[in-house]
Amino acid sequence: MLGVIEAVLYAAGEDGVDLHTLAEILGVSVAATRQQVATLADQMAADEQRGLFIQQSGERFYMLTKPATASALKKYFQGPPATGLSKAALECLAIIAYQQPVTRIDIDEVRGVQSSGSLQTLVTRQLIAEAGRKDAPGRPIMYRTTDVFLDYFGLRSLDDLPPLPTTGTPDPETLDLFGREDIDGEPTSVTSTDGTPTEEK
């Protein structure tokens, strides 16, 4: 059960998971869920070899990186904003660029997979930022692109984004704007929604 809790909190990313939702996923009572989360949190906090810990805010739980890892993470994210962006991250970035402001759930529906990890990467690289919260249950965070995004892609404003086709395959100009080569050398696409069960960050 502890492994499931850890996996769910990791997948939820910065949105976190509320206690009642976690209890429903586990199929146990709220009280039992609270106890299990506390047990896992104590284990992760005490283990100096682990880089993550569980943070509670009200009845919501988040999986965060430990402060001790801050310097290493800073080094990892140094350099040009889009260096090392995965296909998954580029897909998320394209969806945000054309549909902003947009929530993680909206992005997940377009891609067919969970996108929390990619969104965290894009926020850290300063390519996207929060754009308030949607007036909907849970008040999910909405995302928009930033000036760093415009600078990186050589755009003066969002009006300079190439138009998306109404049907068929995206035009080459659009693919040139967001296309990158992943670590295997395969060309990426802004419209891939093949339902791959996992994502690269």
Side-chain angles (χ1 to χ4, degrees):
M1 185 176 295
L2 297 184
V4 174
I5 295 173
E6 184 173 2
V8 171
L9 291 179
Y10 175 82
E14 65 182 25
D15 290 338
V17 182
D18 69 80
L19 183 63
H20 289 80
T21 298
L22 198 54
E24 291 178 4
I25 293 172
L26 297 174
V28 298
S29 69
V30 171
T33 300
R34 191 190 303 276
Q35 182 178 12
Q36 291 296 312
V37 172
T39 298
L40 178 60
D42 289 343
Q43 290 181 3
M44 296 181 70
D47 189 347
E48 295 182 355
Q49 299 304 311
R50 302 187 74 159
L52 302 175
F53 74 103
I54 295 176
Q55 175 72 49
Q56 181 178 357
S57 177
E59 292 289 272
R60 207 167 191 84
F61 297 93
Y62 303 84
M63 185 78 72
L64 304 175
T65 55
K66 289 183 177 178
T69 66
S71 60
L73 292 174
K74 182 178 180 180
K75 292 178 182 178
Y76 173 76
F77 287 114
Q78 284 177 341
T83 297
L85 285 182
S86 67
K87 175 181 177 179
L90 289 168
E91 287 175 354
C92 291
L93 186 58
I95 293 169
I96 295 169
Y98 283 96
Q99 300 185 18
Q100 59 186 304
V102 63
T103 68
R104 178 186 62 79
I105 295 175
D106 296 329
I107 297 169
D108 291 349
E109 289 178 351
V110 173
R111 296 186 61 234
V113 294
Q114 228 278 352
S115 305
S116 292
S118 293
L119 288 175
Q120 289 183 24
T121 297
L122 294 173
V123 169
T124 302
R125 302 292 178 91
Q126 300 179 33
L127 291 167
I128 64 171
E130 292 186 14
R133 291 182 176 269
K134 188 174 183 179
D135 187 13
R139 294 185 57 77
I141 297 171
M142 296 188 293
Y143 295 94
R144 60 170 176 80
T145 54
T146 64
D147 290 341
V148 173
F149 165 83
L150 294 176
D151 291 340
Y152 179 78
F153 288 105
L155 304 173
R156 291 170 298 178
S157 71
L158 294 176
D159 293 335
D160 292 334
L161 283 170
L164 287 175
T166 55
T167 59
T169 305
D171 59 73
E173 185 181 3
T174 303
L175 291 176
D176 287 344
L177 177 62
F178 288 102
R180 291 291 184 274
E181 295 209 343
D182 62 20
I183 57 176
D184 296 320
E186 295 294 332
T188 64
S189 168
V190 301
T191 58
S192 174
T193 54
D194 56 7
T196 304
T198 59
E199 70 159 359
E200 304 167 51
K201 295 182 184 178

